[in-house]
């Protein structure tokens, strides 16, 4: 299973806890365009998380559970104990993971209180220890990477943070080009990512605000990176990875990409409902998840066609949602 090949342009589906779960990943895998995805984080506290628990949280770690298309999935873990993180990474491999990522970027207060995620940006030596413990415990065929923000407060912190992960033996790093304090405020610091990429001996995946092909082209010009992670952009336009492939001259895997963006969201929602279908936990699952998805798209100040909005707002079941999207009257 191939994850990041340093010599090939790579498109990575970002982890998005509470949003990019197994059903949503099945849709994105089905629509195609990405090389691999990263799971939402599995929280490692003061005990090892066992394989069964990991599989309950990330059921598609062994392969697709909705639909049939496989998107290689890297397991992400989050915590501050080198010992429990390493042991959990082993359990992750028993559960089916073929690559492990370590989260050093989550800014959620509940995580920070227990000093995981972005809290570790303030202690680069702890990052080295955690990455080294995981790297040394797993066989070399299992890549270990680290995902981080630029720092807690200043983008300049990334030099020490990135070096810490590299010193620990990370096979590559992914940088969300904002500090913890910046949250999701518009604007990313590609200059800081460029600095790390030019000094680093391991690949760097650029992440943050890649919403269009032009954003990716600007990112290449400003960072020199050839690996890109996309999160919220794929919610806005589920076919974006194909457009990026085309604009970078990569082979397109699907010739039947709908051209208009407003149609794309509708087509993707229909596909999601069909794929998740009978396996959904309950009748309200699909409408509620689609409502959340469309809500996020609107928060990103994207226009959603009025009829799609109305269908999503009023539907109570998947079949009603599909009917309303097709214009049937209820
Ligand atoms: C709802 C949500 C949940 C997220 N969950 C995770 C997570 O579990 N692990 C992680 O490393 N990053 C997580 N992130 C951060 C994204 O992976 C990504 O770094 C960030 O959204 C910036 O990329 P984008 O501008 O392409 O969305 C999350 C982001 C969002 C919006």
């Amino acid at each position: 299973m191939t994850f990041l090949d340093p010599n090939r342009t790579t498109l990575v589906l970002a982890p998005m806890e509470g949003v990019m779960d197994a059903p949503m990943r099945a849709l994105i895998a089905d629509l195609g365009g990405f090389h691999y995805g990263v799971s939402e984080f599995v929280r490692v506290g003061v005990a090892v998380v066992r394989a069964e628990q990991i599989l309950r949280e990330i059921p598609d770690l062994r392969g697709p559970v909705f639909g049939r298309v496989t998107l290689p999935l890297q397991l992400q873990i989050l915590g501050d104990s080198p010992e429990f993180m390493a042991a959990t990474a082993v359990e992750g491999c028993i559960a089916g993971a073929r690559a492990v990522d370590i989260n050093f970027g989550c800014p959620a207060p509940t995580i920070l209180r227990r000093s995981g995620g972005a809290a570790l940006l303030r202690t680069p030596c702890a990052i080295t220890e955690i990455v080294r413990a995981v790297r040394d415990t797993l066989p070399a065929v299992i890549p270990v990477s680290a995902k981080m923000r630029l720092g807690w407060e200043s983008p300049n912190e990334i030099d020490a943070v990135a070096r810490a992960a590299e010193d620990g033996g990370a096979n590559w790093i992914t940088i969300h080009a904002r500090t913890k304090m910046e949250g999701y405020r518009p604007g990313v610091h590609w200059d800081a990512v460029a600095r790390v990429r030019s000094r680093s001996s391991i690949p760097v995946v650029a992440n943050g605000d890649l919403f269009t092909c032009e954003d990716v082209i600007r990112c290449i010009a400003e960072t020199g990176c050839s690996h890109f992670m996309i999160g919220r952009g794929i919610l806005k336009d589920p076919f974006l990875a194909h457009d990026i492939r085309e604009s970078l001259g990569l082979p397109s895997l699907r010739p039947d990409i709908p051209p208009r963006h407003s149609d794309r969201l509708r087509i993707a929602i229909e596909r999601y409902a069909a794929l998740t279908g009978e396996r959904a936990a309950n009748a309200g699952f699909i409408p509620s998840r689609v409502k959340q998805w469309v809500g996020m798209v609107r928060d990103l100040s994207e226009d959603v066609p009025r009829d799609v909005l109305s269908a999503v707002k009023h539907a109570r079941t998947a079949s009603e949602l599909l009917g309303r999207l097709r214009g049937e009257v209820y």
Side-chain angles (χ1 to χ4, degrees):
M1 200 174 269
T2 313
F3 288 87
L4 190 141
D5 175 348
N7 302 313
R8 182 187 73 174
T9 300
T10 316
L11 299 181
V12 187
L13 176 63
M16 287 187 280
E17 214 258 325
V19 180
M20 194 51 70
D21 54 1
M24 196 64 183
R25 266 193 297 271
L27 169 73
I28 302 300
D30 185 75
L31 299 181
F34 284 100
H35 292 96
Y36 71 96
V38 180
S39 81
E40 60 273 47
F41 65 79
V42 167
R43 167 92 181 105
V44 183
V46 291
V48 180
V49 184
R50 298 289 171 203
E52 305 76 54
Q53 174 64 26
I54 294 172
L55 258 184
R56 265 197 298 277
E57 291 183 32
I58 323 284
D60 49 342
L61 206 49
R62 280 193 183 153
V65 287
F66 301 90
R68 290 208 207 102
V69 183
T70 299
L71 177 69
L73 184 61
Q74 187 180 24
L75 170 68
Q76 186 180 76
I77 54 177
L78 179 155
D80 65 349
S81 154
E83 184 193 341
F84 294 136
M85 291 284 276
T88 299
V90 171
E91 292 288 323
C93 294
I94 294 168
R98 290 295 164 262
V100 173
D101 184 67
I102 308 174
N103 181 317
F104 298 114
C106 182
T110 47
I111 295 299
L112 296 176
R113 262 201 302 281
R114 298 188 200 141
S115 60
L120 292 161
L121 295 169
R122 293 191 280 198
T123 49
C125 56
I127 291 180
T128 305
E129 257 188 76
I130 293 166
V131 175
R132 182 170 293 140
V134 175
R135 178 62 287 167
D136 288 356
T137 304
L138 295 179
V141 290
I142 306 282
V144 172
S145 61
K147 180 169 179 284
M148 55 196 60
R149 283 183 177 241
L150 292 175
W152 185 267
E153 200 150 17
S154 157
N156 293 334
E157 293 167 39
I158 190 59
D159 299 286
V161 169
R163 204 171 309 118
E166 196 173 339
D167 288 349
N171 294 88
W172 66 83
I173 55 176
T174 301
I175 305 178
H176 175 189
R178 289 189 176 88
T179 63
K180 186 274 167 195
M181 296 303 280
E182 286 172 330
Y184 280 90
R185 278 207 300 275
V188 284
H189 304 273
W190 290 139
D191 54 336
V193 178
R195 217 170 48 238
V196 173
R197 196 208 60 85
S198 67
R199 287 184 197 154
S200 176
S201 63
I202 55 174
V204 174
V205 180
N207 170 235
D209 288 8
L210 297 174
F211 291 112
T212 63
C213 299
E214 291 70 34
D215 291 338
V216 174
I217 288 164
R218 197 172 319 117
C219 173
I220 295 172
E222 294 185 22
T223 66
C225 285
S226 45
H227 312 294
F228 311 98
M229 175 183 276
I230 296 162
R232 293 164 302 155
I234 207 68
L235 301 176
K236 274 175 78 166
D237 176 3
F239 294 87
L240 174 63
H242 289 281
D243 289 352
I244 294 172
R245 277 178 172 268
E246 193 171 90
S247 71
L248 299 182
L250 302 175
S252 178
L253 304 175
R254 264 180 87 130
D256 57 335
I257 305 304
R260 280 186 49 233
H261 285 225
S262 56
D263 289 343
R264 288 177 166 197
L265 188 58
R266 179 201 315 272
I267 292 165
I269 291 171
E270 285 176 355
R271 188 82 200 117
Y272 176 79
L275 263 178
T276 308
E278 292 155 12
R279 308 206 55 182
N282 55 58
F285 177 84
I286 292 172
S288 78
R289 296 313 296 269
V290 170
K291 213 169 279 177
Q292 176 202 26
W293 171 10
V294 167
M296 284 187 77
V297 174
R298 288 185 86 194
D299 288 347
L300 293 165
S301 54
E302 190 78 353
D303 281 339
V304 177
R306 205 176 292 171
D307 60 324
V308 173
L309 268 184
S310 161
V312 169
K313 189 171 166 200
H314 294 107
R316 281 152 302 167
T317 63
S319 55
E320 190 186 336
L321 176 66
L322 284 168
R324 284 181 183 271
L325 285 170
R326 287 189 208 109
E328 291 162 16
V329 179
Y330 282 79

